[in-house]
Amino acid sequence: MNINEALEDILPQVSKPTRYIGNEFNSVHKDKKQIKAHMVLAFPDVYEVGMCHLGIQILYHLLNEEQDVYAERVYAPWIDFEEKLREYKIPLFSLESKTPICEFDILGFTLQYEMSYSNVVNMLELSNIPIFSCDRTEEHPFVMAGGPCSYNPEPLAEIIDFFVIGEAEEVILELVELYKQNKYEGWPRRKFLEKVAEISGIYVPSLYEISYNEDKTIKEFIPKIQGIPTRIPKRIVKNLDEAYYPTNFIVPYMDIVHDRAVLEAFRGCTHGCRFCQAGMIYRPVREKTSKNLAKIAKDIIKSTGYGEISLASLSTSDYSELKQLVEVLTDEFRKCQVGLSLPSLRIDAFSLELAKKVQEIKKSGLTFAPEAGTQRLRDIINKGVTEDDLISSVRDAFSCGWKTVKLYFMIGLPGETYEDIEGIAKLAHKVVDVYKQVNGNVKGLKVTVSTSVFVPKPFTPFQWEPQLDLHEIEERQKFLKRLLKGKCINYNWHDGRLSFLEAVFARGDRRLNKALKIAHEKGCKFDGWNDMFDFDKWIAAFQEAGVSPEFYVYRKRELGEVLPWDIIDPGINKSFLVSELKKSHKGITSPDCRNNRCYGCGINRLGGGICGS
Amino acid sequence: MVVRLKYEKNDPVKFISHLDTIRVFERAMRRASLPVAFTKGFTPRPKFSFASALSVGITSSCEFMDVEFNETISVDEIVTRLNSTLPNGFKVVKAGVPDENIQLSMINYAIYAIKLVYEDISKEDLENAIKDLLDREEIIIEKKSKGKVKKKNIAQNIDYMNIRELLKDGAMIELGVIGQGGNAPIVAIILELQKIIKMNLKIKFINREDLFIKKVCEIIYPL
């Protein structure tokens, strides 16, 4: 049975069939006969999550602008659809042309979170592609990966053929050119891998041997051939304002998680929060001009018909032309009922005037992320926000009629005590008090406190720190729950076991590949979905693979240890991370380096950023 | 001004739900720069009203919606502009200013064409099975909603059923549905037919062909 016929049968039997039909407005359809390189961009989660990802939209349209290149998409099939694929013996296929994934030239995964790794493996299996690189032959696609998790590629090093480090739109066309040459000249698989390793920003793990010390830490990375780098530098777009940006976003039929057009204002962040990987790896800060953004926004709405457009960046209020942009956009879109949303507003720079402007069209809740409950701990993590900042912003917001406030915190930060947990509750109650002062009562007020669990991440000053013991995390969550009483306060917390697993893979090494395969065989998938996550299966998988998850999660690394991600050069100096770690131990902050302070992170040698100008 | 649109929902978009369809039209109208009127309030919505929702998996050559515009605009222009911005599979076939007395909520009748594929069933057997089905006082359909199973007798909703055409590998069936805005659990009805005939009937496609208001001795077309 061919795929289209099978789909006629299968689709009426599954939930949300729209996930698998493709044919969305602005999706690209090409004649496969005219194509020299056929790529499929894969997001290892379900459609409505994956469709929100900006990176794939950029790469998709960038690649499809090339006449002889065809980029399609695939998402992780939901459980019911996967069962049907297996029952009908249909391989995983692309959304656009319904081509089996195994027939593509290149399969590219984006790795946005560690909890999607089991889906990567599952999708390979559903595609009939061998899970380990070493088992693939000339008849299989090359399997590549990119995205933030690629900054520690090792837990997938035996599964992914090569990784793109940094911003893929800078590299991908170079890569495709090389692929075309490979196809034309009929290179053996290994030759292409050796050649692709010469492209700056590409890491081919099979070309590196790793030796270990007796204490199981890494001794060294040894390149197996000459001419490949000993460290892989990340690639970045130097001039973001001139960089390619699509306006013809694919418009889904179904309601996806963030169903709106995305306007990327800038990349990078200078605040230097010590827990934040994004704040480190996406440096330097590069902005687009508001003039350019206004034009792009107009074109996107014209091309997509979206009723909402959202600014995208790590910290919206840091955008230097924010005021002008918001004014232009709200004027432009008032008539056609397009709402503007400004996520990631920082409280210290929170501008009420802006929020009011946005409110003119659509009103949404306010979100603040103090991250820690006391000033002492906020200083340790370098979150440059004070309680006064928060309280005065909240007061202003309540005065303007806001009723819903979300407060985000982390539990298990290095140096955290029970006083800091109490601080979270105190802060939440203060917010309630402010509302009472403003409105005289608590009618309509909703304060949501959410705590995630701190996971130490590569290329952050806390990359050497252990994660807090799982039982202790659960104790602290319970403790906070008891303190957060009151009908207008809600408390949400993350499953600590999930964060434990995230911590394993975030700082794991090559020995985890085997565990991942075993976990997949035991049925682990969609680990980020609470109802799908099976912690016991994972623990059994680690045991069978002979690896200790505690080794990765609870061990404090020596500063001199060779870390699995040392093979990657993110442009940030290790000495900077060490100095930030030491400052954190003393509770010394490093205020935003945007204002003529330089802490020597080293990123300005890459050029393009605001600190180079 | 209020404009009534008659549109098709064809094979490529038959799995799109009713809610998704509303979004499709909102976005297509914005792409076409049509001056759609919006509701006031917390979350403004386009002023659309639809005839009965079409079940997922069914195509239709006859769907209706009313749209309110802030400005006067020629109906031909609306058709042309919308058809250039609607996704492949949707097509507006007609537009006009509706008679105020004929509201979409009054629609109570639909005609469906169903292609059945089967082996070794004679025309007589199929005809007899259909007759059996139509003669029944009760056709109980189980409907699951919110975890509960509800039973419903839909015998009164089937107005007629006949064989329109015999095909090489099956037959084209025509079904008239009365009440419930022209909606009926077609797949369940065919399943009942299958139970009577005791042979496998495979539904190849279901298409809603017509949608109108049926009164005692009069048929009113919405557009």
Side-chain angles (χ1 to χ4, degrees), chain B residues 3-21:
Chain B
V3 174
R4 181 160 296 167
L5 304 175
K6 179 181 174 182
Y7 65 92
E8 293 173 356
K9 192 180 176 205
N10 294 313
D11 211 51
V13 292
K14 70 179 173 190
F15 287 109
I16 292 165
S17 73
H18 184 62
L19 274 175
D20 295 342
T21 303

Side-chain angles (χ1 to χ4, degrees), chain A residues 45 171 309 392 407 501:
Chain A
D45 209 321
V171 190
I309 192 157
S392 72
L407 301 171
L501 190 62

Side-chain angles (χ1 to χ4, degrees), chain A residues 150-269:
Chain A
S150 304
Y151 280 87
N152 178 19
E154 289 305 299
L156 291 170
E158 290 168 1
I159 292 166
I160 302 295
D161 294 326
F162 57 92
F163 291 87
V164 172
I165 310 300
E167 294 164 352
E169 70 254 58
E170 190 66 14
V171 190
I172 200 104
L173 294 178
E174 240 172 278
L175 171 72
V176 165
E177 276 314 305
L178 187 73
Y179 180 80
K180 284 193 240 168
Q181 193 187 350
N182 157 70
K183 199 170 184 177
Y184 184 75
E185 295 179 10
W187 296 346
R189 196 172 175 92
R190 165 86 182 201
K191 182 174 176 187
F192 176 76
L193 289 174
E194 288 180 2
K195 285 275 188 192
V196 86
E198 289 173 13
I199 295 180
S200 175
I202 290 186
Y203 173 50
V204 184
S206 59
L207 299 181
Y208 296 82
E209 177 107 29
I210 294 172
S211 63
Y212 297 95
N213 297 310
E214 266 178 34
D215 64 2
K216 294 187 178 168
T217 56
I218 293 170
K219 192 172 176 200
E220 59 180 330
F221 282 83
I222 310 148
K224 289 183 190 166
I225 57 167
Q226 285 194 332
I228 58 172
T230 48
R231 282 191 87 198
I232 319 297
K234 81 165 174 189
R235 290 281 293 268
I236 60 160
V237 171
K238 279 213 171 71
N239 187 333
L240 195 66
D241 205 39
E242 286 173 10
Y244 174 80
Y245 196 78
T247 52
N248 50 339
F249 278 70
I250 303 163
V251 187
Y253 291 110
M254 70 184 295
D255 195 11
I256 62 170
V257 176
H258 298 294
D259 201 2
R260 57 200 186 192
V262 181
L263 192 59
E264 189 185 27
F266 68 95
R267 289 184 191 170
C269 178

Side-chain angles (χ1 to χ4, degrees), chain A residues 271-280 283 371 376-384 410 413-414 454-465 576-591 599:
Chain A
H271 288 278
C273 301
R274 289 171 184 142
F275 55 84
C276 179
Q277 187 188 39
M280 299 293 164
R283 291 180 180 207
E371 307 293 2
R376 185 194 70 86
L377 191 53
R378 285 195 292 272
D379 287 347
I380 289 177
I381 63 174
N382 199 41
K383 182 83 190 181
M410 270 188 265
L413 286 162
F454 170 66
V455 178
K457 292 278 166 118
F459 299 116
T460 64
F462 292 152
Q463 64 177 358
W464 295 277
E465 295 287 309
F576 163 72
L577 297 175
V578 171
S579 129
E580 283 297 302
L581 176 70
K582 289 184 173 163
K583 282 168 97 173
S584 88
H585 290 153
K586 293 178 197 150
I588 301 171
T589 61
S590 300
Y599 307 109

Side-chain angles (χ1 to χ4, degrees), chain A residues 41-53:
Chain A
L41 305 173
F43 194 104
D45 209 321
V46 76
Y47 177 88
E48 55 268 39
V49 174
M51 268 297 283
C52 309
H53 183 238

